[in-house]
């Protein structure tokens, strides 16, 4: 039997500053580095054969710290933009609470958690799902079926999409799924 382990990157500099990050390549904060090391400690005892990550530095840094703790730096590791965070378009780099004040609480909730809520020059969660799931089905799932243990280091919305698929969560209920950084 294989194991699928998913991790959201740990606290980034922009998480700390409460900014919509999306596809901006922002590093982990010092606290994020420590959280990644702690995540690795919690995984001791698990066997990992293959790792997947988005090409964004915060996901790669999280994975690198985990791999160091588990002493598995040499395992095959694949990067793919299909695992990237949601593109927040016009909101990228802006303070989340400023956006909430600007658009109101209900619209803000839809922007952050809604299933098919478009963002100008960005993506909806449905768009993220439509790039994550085909990648999972063609690249990751076959290796799980071969009995490989897989570790994925990615982002809140790419992992929400994956969990929605794996657990058959409805479009409405996925709005309540939170995958924290720490």
């Amino acid at each position: 039997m294989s194991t699928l382990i998913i991790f959201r990157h740990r606290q980034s500099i922009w998480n700390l500053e409460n900014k919509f990050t999306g596809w901006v390549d922002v590093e982990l904060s010092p606290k994020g580095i420590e959280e990644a090391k702690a995540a690795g400690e919690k995984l001791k005892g698990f066997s990992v054969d293959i790792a997947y990550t988005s090409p964004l530095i915060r996901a790669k840094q999280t994975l690198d710290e985990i791999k160091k703790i588990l002493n598995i730096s040499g395992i095959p590791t694949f990067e793919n933009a299909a695992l990237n965070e949601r593109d927040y378009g016009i909101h990228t780099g802006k303070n989340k609470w400023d956006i909430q004040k600007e658009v109101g609480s209900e619209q803000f909730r839809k922007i952050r958690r809604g299933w098919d809520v478009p963002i100008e020059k960005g993506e909806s969660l449905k768009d993220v799902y439509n790039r994550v799931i085909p990648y999972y089905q063609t690249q990751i799932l076959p290796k799980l079926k071969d009995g490989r243990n897989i570790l994925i280091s990615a982002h809140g919305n790419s992992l929400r999409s994956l969990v929605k698929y794996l657990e058959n969560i409805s479009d409405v209920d996925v709005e309540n799924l939170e995958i924290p950084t720490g």
Side-chain angles (χ1 to χ4, degrees):
M1 184 167 143
S2 59
T3 302
L4 175 64
I5 304 165
I6 63 172
F7 266 96
R8 180 177 174 191
H9 66 81
R10 296 334 203 191
Q11 184 188 68
S12 75
I13 293 168
W14 278 18
N15 290 136
L16 180 62
E17 296 173 2
N18 208 31
K19 293 180 180 180
F20 282 109
T21 309
W23 290 4
V24 176
D25 212 9
V26 176
E27 294 186 351
L28 292 179
S29 69
K31 178 182 177 184
I33 296 286
E34 294 306 312
E35 289 173 341
K37 289 176 183 177
E41 291 292 335
K42 289 179 181 178
L43 285 177
K44 282 187 173 176
F46 283 94
S47 173
V48 178
D49 301 308
I50 302 170
Y52 291 85
T53 185
S54 87
L56 297 172
I57 190 72
R58 58 195 183 271
K60 293 189 321 185
Q61 286 178 311
T62 297
L63 180 59
D64 287 345
E65 293 300 329
I66 291 170
K67 286 168 59 176
K68 284 180 203 171
I69 296 292
L70 298 179
N71 197 27
I72 57 169
S73 295
I75 65 169
T77 301
F78 301 93
E79 292 180 19
N80 195 289
L83 297 174
N84 274 3
E85 176 58 279
R86 177 180 180 186
D87 182 350
Y88 279 103
I90 63 169
H91 299 303
T92 300
K94 294 180 182 175
N95 182 282
K96 293 174 186 174
W97 307 134
D98 291 344
I99 298 298
Q100 183 178 29
K101 288 176 192 171
E102 180 183 320
V103 302
S105 294
E106 181 62 24
Q107 184 61 27
F108 180 72
R109 186 186 60 73
K110 289 179 183 178
I111 289 169
R112 290 191 71 208
R113 298 289 179 249
W115 169 247
D116 195 11
V117 178
I119 295 176
E120 186 179 339
K121 298 182 182 177
E123 296 179 295
S124 67
L125 182 59
K126 183 178 178 181
D127 294 329
V128 176
Y129 181 97
N130 287 334
R131 67 175 152 81
V132 169
I133 301 313
Y135 182 73
Y136 171 79
Q137 291 171 331
T138 61
Q139 303 301 312
I140 299 171
L141 183 57
K143 291 176 179 70
L144 285 167
K145 287 181 176 180
D146 282 345
R148 301 297 196 77
N149 297 324
I150 307 288
L151 173 63
I152 301 173
S153 178
H155 307 272
N157 285 299
S158 55
L159 295 175
R160 283 177 64 226
S161 296
L162 181 58
V163 171
K164 178 189 188 323
Y165 172 78
L166 294 173
E167 296 187 9
N168 198 28
I169 298 173
S170 74
D171 297 351
V172 172
D173 289 340
V174 75
E175 293 182 16
N176 299 316
L177 178 61
E178 177 68 28
I179 300 178
T181 60

